Amino acid sequence: MSILGNRVVRKEDPKFLTSGGTYVDDLKIDGAARVTYVRSTSAHARIRSVDIDEARSAPGVLAVVTAADIELDPLPLEMPMLNEKMPQPWLATDVVRYVGEPVVAIVSETQAEGADAAELIFIDYEPLPVLVDTEGALEGSIVLHPEAGTNVSFELQFGRDESLFDGCEVVVRRRVNNQRVAPCPLEVRAVAARWEDDGRLTQWSSTQAPHSVRDALAKAYGLFEDEVHVISPDVGGGFGAKIGGYPDELLIAWLARRVGRPLKWTETRSESMVALGHGRAQLQDIEIGGSRDGTIGAYRLTVLQDSGAYPRVGALLSFMTRTMASGTYRIPKVDFNSRSVVTNTTPVVSYRGAGRPEATAAIERAVDLFAAEIGMDPAEVRRRNLVPPDAFPFTTPLGTTYDVGDYGRALELALEASGYADLRKEQARRREAGEVRQLGIGLSAYVEITNGVPGSEFAAVEVRENGTAVVRTGTSPHGQGHVTSWAMLVSDALGIPIDSIEVVHGDTDVVPRGVGTFGSRSLQVGGVAAHQAAGQVVDKARQLAAKLLEADPADVVLDKVGQRFHVAGTPAVAKSWGELAREASSEPGGLSAETDFTPPGATFPFGCHVAVVEVDTETGKVTIERLVAVDDAGRILNPLVAEGQIQGGLAQGAAQALLEQVAYDDDGNPLTANLADYTFVSAAEVPSFETTSMETPTPVNELGAKGIGESGTIGSTPAVQNAVVDALSHLGVRHVDMPATPERVWQAIAAAR
Amino acid sequence: MIPVAFDYQRVSSVDEALGLLATHGDEAKLLAGGHSLLPLMKLRLAVPSVLVDVGRLHDLSYVRDAGDHVAIGALTRHRDLETSELLAAQVPILAHVAGQVGDPQVRHRGTIGGSLAHGDPASDLPAVVLALGGTLVARGPGGERTIEARSFFEGFLQTALGPDELLTEIRVPKATIVGAAAVRNGTTGVALVNMGSTPLRASATEAALAAGASIGDAAAVAAEGTEPSGDLNASPDFRRHLATVLVRRALEEAAS
Ligand SMILES: Cc1cc2nc3c(=O)[nH]c(=O)nc-3n(C[C@H](O)[C@H](O)[C@H](O)COP(=O)(O)OP(=O)(O)OC[C@H]3O[C@@H](n4cnc5c(N)ncnc54)[C@H](O)[C@@H]3O)c2cc1C
């Protein structure tokens, strides 16, 4: 019997639950000094002067560095599509463009000495007009990057089909804000760098993608890739924000060379809130039209994406929003246009879902607006417009081809699990009775794209002479459970128990190639690679066993329980994995196989979430009573691990709907720069989730697996937001922007009255 | 996130603490549970050069029946208030509110004395002690004095305590009625959290009740005379609105 599909308890957890993990900041690196960045406190200003004299002679200070000292070439563009006229310098040169932009780097013996020296630095700023809102950026009277001559950092303009809504009986339009949020990994960013005697660079990084850090460092320092050794030890979360080369991370090695010491930098939480990239930040104009029988005829989404002061991957998020614009619905006509603009705010990067939650939030809100307008139950409107199961592979009007799905079944399962009809009855009762606490029921029938950015992944499997195995993977987990999942995949092929399988990741010297863990790609790319490599090892072992047993390889079978090979029918004469590994030890690589797997395409997980909220109509307070989630990510390798991803995702998604927002005042000062002001979700704000899993295997890969890392976040946000609006719909409320804070809810009620 | 360097002194008696305060003046700060002071120090908003740790003055941790009132040692942790049987019987509102503070970690560290001495208008316990008409006992170089809760809170994070004084005890009258922000003790005391720069009595509501107004009418004037500030959580208007709703609910709960 295969181990795949079983609830296998995570191998990595005993360590985390007892001694704890080892994060970059925990590493003892002999002789390491510390780096402290002095960051801009002004959102937009010309730097008149920087006075570093006093800091230079402060206790413990080894160096104080400004942009003028850095003789490195400008940072290479992170992605080819980004506007090269809007580059972020290593340290701010003459102008600062957001609060949090690094201006000065201090190297000191201890972190405390660095913090003290930072207070002795005086930066004279000449204020420049500040651009915080994206519409102002589009209008363009203030231009942040004069060389670019525009604030537009990226655009997807396909023209507007003016006849899009012709023939629609009903058209609803609404502007909605998919607010900026902060990823808040529990471990903030941390980097340590050391130049080795042979000229190689070792860098420890808290990252989701060590190989791309290696490549970025090699480029920045003019080294060959194999001259850079990147290690990511345990990583305490990333959520998409710990990918790619932040200037302040890449500069540590240069500082290390300058002072001739290994260096360590760990950002503080307050620093992380402004210096780690933010997510979402889309202003959306949604328009939906159709007929009164509930058929949706056309949909238009126009996006204004905030990319922050220096465009990074966040500027490109609208790509994914466009890809998933029409969601689970068969809509004949769909229009999408977007512009990304720079503002005096922290750069926007990818954050759990990266462009897809924005698409889902827009279409799910749109469907509810349409349902409210025609007076039809939102579940019924969905039922009438979902892509039917026999339509797959299904290509949307914008050209996205969904692999496989049964959206209707997910909807019906979710309605059933939530007791939808009874909920509506209870809602009617409370409305009738005019109760203060009203009930809201919100739906979200989502589909998303995983492994949306094409790429391959490396895996190597080796059986050692003692009969244990090691698998090396190019993906780099930071909480997702790869160690358990990859061991299961290899165990399934080899028969070697998971406790005897070591999973190695996050070290570019040991794992030659890799892409990383993001976009819910790991299992369907890296996992498949591991599975294939394991299969190749079995083939090799079979050949070897056949030779030793003087048999035809076709007659040799692997007894997975006994972990050995024998000729079919004569189990008494067998060769164990250890024996075969010893036999193969003379050959290069021993008993091992390597593979790079490139999947033929992306996969499309889907599901349906139902949120039940109680809204106190006097105080505006929203309480999530229930969150019912049906998720289908294809074949599930380990339900326990999948559920962990779903649970965290649901909480994070619900948090965007109700709690979280990064806010700036008109001068670009962050108002949410610590966890006292940024309302990070905790277990106290969410109910126990009710999850149901559906498994529709994808034909795209041999495991039948899709990604599950982001679905929870994608589905739950609109479900909760829709529930809040639903609770108030009888009062005439049609929309409440996120986060639906008590005050916003109160105002929406007051405005509707 | 890293405080400015400071000296640390752990004391084993009130006198020792007072001696250190006298020596260092306003350079020194008392450290109780640290749950208000340490965050400020980490943000470098508070920069004491000497921390006088009174956290182990166990003889200032008690809840005692003192006849007409209950006496509470200033170093009593929120958790001990929450679980005190005496409070549950005699001043249930205080036990109830202590149980609402933060999370278990905060309640096991934070002290009632620290909460009052910090004088944060957003804190829960100061408002309750104010509503109850409590009395605070402080010791300083000149000996002991008592301060009415009513005149204790002077401004944002400012109290009547001098830099050389230590809060030793909080006295609250027995009041058997449970309610979220209202207490009945012959008269009704109503105090408001986060409606100005200090915790406040809802004096218009109290006056209306004394004059025989209905709960609804009395609650409707709860925000009168207050000047709440606005922030990301709530605008001044919303705070005023919430005051009327929450005071009404508290009065209804107290009356039922
Ligand atoms: C995460 C978190 C959540 C919280 N949530 C809440 C909440 O929901 N509601 C709430 O009301 N509070 C909350 N608090 C604040 C908490 O209740 C604090 O513990 C309390 O306000 C201060 O008590 P302390 O003993 O920790 O004081 P400390 O931080 O040690 O001291 C605070 C101030 O009081 C002074 N001081 C302390 N003891 C004395 C004394 N005996 N005499 C004179 N001066 C003294 C100190 O010098 C300092 O200036 C929260 C705090 C945290 C960190």
Side-chain angles (χ1 to χ4, degrees):
Chain A
M1 207 189 84
S2 169
I3 190 174
L4 306 187
N6 288 312
R7 290 179 80 85
V8 176
V9 172
R10 300 200 334 162
K11 259 162 72 88
E12 49 270 72
D13 284 345
K15 176 183 80 175
F16 289 116
L17 295 173
T18 54
S19 55
T22 304
Y23 302 90
V24 171
D25 196 56
D26 299 323
L27 298 169
K28 304 269 177 285
I29 298 167
D30 280 348
R34 288 284 189 160
V35 175
T36 302
Y37 283 108
V38 179
R39 296 177 181 275
S40 174
T41 51
S42 185
H44 196 198
R46 196 167 300 288
I47 300 176
R48 281 208 200 95
S49 62
V50 183
D51 182 354
I52 57 173
D53 290 347
E54 216 182 322
R56 269 207 168 120
S57 51
V61 170
L62 303 172
V64 181
V65 164
T66 65
D69 301 310
I70 298 172
E71 73 280 358
L72 290 167
D73 289 339
L75 278 162
L77 261 196
E78 219 178 355
M79 275 160 219
M81 278 165 302
L82 294 170
N83 188 331
E84 79 276 12
K85 302 233 169 82
M86 300 175 172
Q88 175 157 9
W90 286 99
L91 293 172
T93 48
D94 51 337
V95 174
V96 288
R97 294 188 178 81
Y98 67 96
V99 172
E101 180 169 357
V103 184
V104 179
I106 300 170
V107 182
S108 57
E109 293 291 349
T110 68
Q111 222 177 346
E113 285 163 341
D116 288 344
E119 298 212 326
L120 303 175
I121 286 172
F122 181 73
I123 304 170
D124 188 9
Y125 293 114
E126 175 190 327
L128 294 171
V130 174
L131 201 52
V132 176
D133 82 304
T134 44
E135 287 192 282
L138 201 54
E139 180 257 320
S141 59
I142 304 167
V143 175
L144 292 199
H145 299 272
E147 285 90 289
T150 171
N151 290 320
V152 176
S153 52
F154 178 73
E155 56 186 350
L156 290 170
Q157 293 291 323
F158 301 92
R160 243 173 101 94
D161 176 359
E162 294 304 338
S163 66
L164 196 76
F165 295 102
D166 287 2
C168 289
E169 283 176 311
V170 176
V171 182
V172 195
R173 302 188 157 83
R174 176 72 65 161
R175 165 164 286 194
V176 303
N177 188 23
N178 205 290
Q179 82 275 24
R180 177 187 283 254
V181 294
C184 296
L186 288 188
E187 185 208 12
V188 292
R189 287 183 303 151
V191 167
R194 181 173 69 201
W195 292 92
E196 309 297 348
D197 293 340
D198 60 3
R200 290 187 85 214
L201 168 64
T202 306
Q203 174 146 324
W204 294 264
S205 270
S206 176
T207 179
Q208 300 173 230
H211 292 86
S212 66
V213 173
R214 177 194 67 184
D215 297 353
L217 284 166
K219 236 187 244 171
Y221 293 99
L223 299 169
F224 291 111
E225 279 158 15
D226 63 6
E227 291 175 310
V228 181
H229 180 194
V230 173
I231 302 165
S232 62
D234 288 323
V235 174
F239 306 110
K242 285 185 186 165
I243 313 172
Y246 286 80
D248 52 10
E249 294 180 17
L250 300 177
L251 189 63
I252 304 297
W254 182 82
L255 292 165
R257 192 154 64 189
R258 184 168 168 109
V259 298
R261 293 266 297 270
L263 292 182
K264 211 187 224 189
W265 168 67
T266 305
E267 64 185 356
T268 65
R269 178 61 66 183
S270 319
E271 192 176 17
S272 186
M273 294 304 287
V274 295
L276 179 74
H278 293 157
R280 310 279 190 266
Q282 275 192 7
L283 193 62
Q284 304 173 324
D285 286 303
I286 56 186
E287 298 167 76
I288 187 165
S291 45
R292 295 207 170 269
D293 68 1
T295 314
I296 302 170
Y299 175 63
R300 178 187 288 141
L301 179 58
T302 310
V303 166
L304 185 52
Q305 170 76 53
D306 191 346
S307 52
Y310 299 99
R312 298 190 54 195
V313 62
L316 314 176
L317 288 180
S318 48
F319 246 135
M320 284 301 174
T321 309
R322 177 176 186 274
T323 302
M324 298 313 301
S326 51
T328 46
Y329 308 102
R330 179 142 73 175
I331 305 177
K333 294 190 283 178
V334 181
D335 231 19
F336 181 96
N337 291 289
S338 77
R339 282 203 168 83
S340 307
V341 290
V342 287
T343 58
N344 291 120
T345 58
T346 294
V348 174
V349 298
S350 52
Y351 168 62
R352 206 166 189 173
R356 296 109 75 201
E358 295 87 329
T360 305
I363 185 72
E364 289 305 300
R365 213 55 285 287
V367 170
D368 264 28
L369 285 164
F370 177 66
E373 189 64 29
I374 62 172
M376 189 177 281
D377 187 307
E380 186 53 32
V381 174
R382 285 179 171 78
R383 202 173 269 135
R384 290 185 188 200
N385 291 281
L386 289 175
V387 177
D390 57 5
F392 293 93
F394 175 81
T395 301
T396 70
L398 295 181
T400 308
T401 302
Y402 299 164
D403 52 351
V404 63
D406 190 344
Y407 305 157
R409 183 148 170 264
L411 172 69
E412 300 308 335
L413 275 178
L415 294 177
E416 196 186 300
S418 64
Y420 188 71
D422 289 341
L423 288 170
R424 287 283 173 214
K425 268 185 217 145
E426 170 62 10
Q427 179 183 55
R429 189 195 65 74
R430 292 192 194 194
R431 287 181 176 181
E432 193 95 346
E435 288 188 10
V436 168
R437 289 182 180 82
Q438 289 292 328
L439 200 68
I441 306 139
L443 298 178
S444 161
Y446 75 89
V447 57
E448 64 128 334
I449 178 171
T450 61
N451 184 36
V453 181
S456 71
E457 200 53 89
F458 168 87
V461 173
E462 180 186 349
V463 177
R464 296 172 172 135
E465 293 179 33
N466 63 2
T468 66
V470 56
V471 48
R472 288 175 286 142
T473 174
T475 61
S476 199
H478 39 284
Q480 293 86 352
H482 291 27
V483 169
T484 305
S485 301
W486 274 226
M488 287 171 69
L489 289 167
V490 172
S491 174
D492 176 60
L494 268 47
I496 296 173
I498 60 165
D499 288 339
S500 301
I501 297 171
E502 187 191 350
V503 179
V504 174
H505 58 82
D507 185 322
T508 62
D509 272 10
V510 185
V511 182
R513 295 179 293 286
V515 177
T517 291
F518 49 82
S520 301
R521 66 188 296 277
S522 288
L523 178 59
Q524 60 187 303
V525 192
V528 172
H531 197 246
Q532 289 182 346
Q536 290 167 18
V537 169
V538 171
D539 289 343
K540 259 194 182 176
R542 191 193 312 277
Q543 297 288 342
L544 201 55
K547 205 170 83 189
L548 296 174
L549 297 169
E550 295 174 358
D552 185 337
D555 296 334
V556 174
V557 293
L558 166 60
D559 164 14
K560 288 189 189 173
V561 177
Q563 300 173 54
R564 50 199 196 155
F565 290 83
H566 60 79
V567 176
T570 53
V573 190
K575 293 288 166 194
S576 71
W577 277 113
E579 285 171 291
L580 294 170
R582 286 192 290 279
E583 190 64 30
S585 63
S586 53
E587 293 172 29
L591 188 49
S592 71
E594 273 187 18
T595 186
D596 290 274
F597 174 65
T598 309
T603 60
F604 296 81
F606 62 92
C608 184
H609 293 182
V610 179
V612 183
V613 303
E614 195 175 78
V615 179
D616 184 324
T617 53
E618 288 181 341
T619 63
K621 186 175 167 161
V622 178
T623 312
I624 307 177
E625 297 291 328
R626 293 173 65 199
L627 196 48
V628 178
V630 174
D631 296 288
D632 189 328
R635 191 155 152 235
I636 298 296
L637 171 66
N638 181 343
L640 192 67
V641 166
E643 213 167 285
Q645 293 294 303
I646 293 168
Q647 298 256 344
L650 292 174
Q652 241 170 340
Q656 188 187 2
L658 292 187
L659 298 168
E660 296 188 21
Q661 68 173 322
V662 170
Y664 289 92
D665 69 12
D666 292 343
D667 297 323
N669 297 308
L671 303 175
T672 46
N674 58 47
L675 290 184
D677 294 324
Y678 188 80
T679 37
F680 185 67
V681 70
S682 78
E685 284 86 30
V686 289
S688 285
F689 304 125
E690 301 163 54
T691 59
T692 303
S693 136
M694 231 175 102
E695 295 190 35
T696 310
T698 177
V700 172
N701 62 64
E702 64 208 52
L703 294 178
K706 304 179 178 184
I708 192 64
E710 295 157 293
S711 300
T713 329
I714 290 165
S716 65
T717 306
V720 174
Q721 188 185 20
N722 282 342
V724 174
V725 178
D726 181 67
L728 307 172
S729 63
H730 64 300
L731 304 173
V733 173
R734 286 286 172 271
H735 179 72
V736 181
D737 253 333
M738 301 188 293
T741 57
E743 179 154 17
R744 285 224 173 109
V745 170
W746 174 68
Q747 279 169 344
I749 296 170
R753 274 196 177 128
Chain B
M1 291 284 137
I2 299 173
V4 173
F6 56 86
D7 282 337
Y8 171 85
Q9 305 267 2
R10 182 190 295 159
V11 298
S12 49
S13 73
V14 171
D15 288 335
E16 197 184 344
L18 291 177
L20 286 167
L21 290 182
T23 312
H24 297 285
D26 53 14
E27 295 279 279
K29 268 272 175 203
L30 295 172
L31 175 72
H35 267 49
S36 290
L37 182 56
L38 295 184
L40 290 180
M41 288 173 62
K42 285 184 163 192
L43 292 168
R44 298 193 166 209
L45 296 172
V47 285
S49 54
V50 183
L51 272 193
V52 180
D53 187 352
V54 293
R56 310 229 173 156
L57 297 184
H58 299 299
D59 48 346
L60 286 186
S61 173
Y62 56 82
V63 182
R64 277 186 209 133
D65 193 329
D68 64 337
H69 68 269
V70 174
I72 302 165
L75 265 298
T76 311
R77 313 268 167 188
H78 304 330
R79 173 70 184 167
D80 295 326
L81 303 179
E82 181 186 353
T83 55
S84 159
E85 282 174 22
L86 180 62
L87 283 183
Q90 303 291 355
V91 200
I93 186 174
L94 192 51
H96 171 76
V97 172
Q100 304 292 308
V101 173
D103 52 42
Q105 235 172 324
V106 175
R107 296 199 288 274
H108 277 92
R109 294 296 311 164
T111 65
I112 184 169
S115 181
L116 288 163
H118 193 57
D120 185 341
S123 281
D124 295 302
L125 295 177
V128 176
V129 173
L130 188 64
L132 285 164
T135 305
L136 287 73
V137 183
R139 270 185 59 189
E144 193 172 280
R145 67 174 178 131
T146 58
I147 312 162
E148 292 304 313
R150 214 173 238 298
S151 44
F152 184 74
F153 303 104
E154 296 185 337
F156 184 70
L157 305 188
Q158 276 181 339
T159 70
L161 281 181
D164 51 1
E165 282 185 307
L166 184 136
L167 200 55
T168 53
E169 188 173 281
I170 293 90
R171 297 175 182 160
V172 287
K174 294 179 177 175
T176 46
I177 293 182
V178 193
V183 191
R184 188 160 298 181
N185 183 23
T187 58
T188 305
V190 180
L192 304 169
V193 168
N194 237 339
M195 289 295 287
S197 57
T198 65
L200 293 175
R201 293 284 282 253
S203 34
T205 296
E206 291 180 356
L209 287 172
S214 70
I215 285 179
D217 290 347
V221 296
E224 235 168 62
T226 63
E227 283 178 34
S229 59
D231 57 29
L232 259 192
N233 297 315
S235 65
D237 274 352
F238 184 49
R239 286 214 160 92
R240 281 191 207 98
H241 164 76
L242 282 181
T244 63
V245 174
L246 297 177
V247 165
R248 194 195 72 228
R249 289 184 183 177
L251 289 173
E252 281 166 359
E253 201 181 328
S256 67

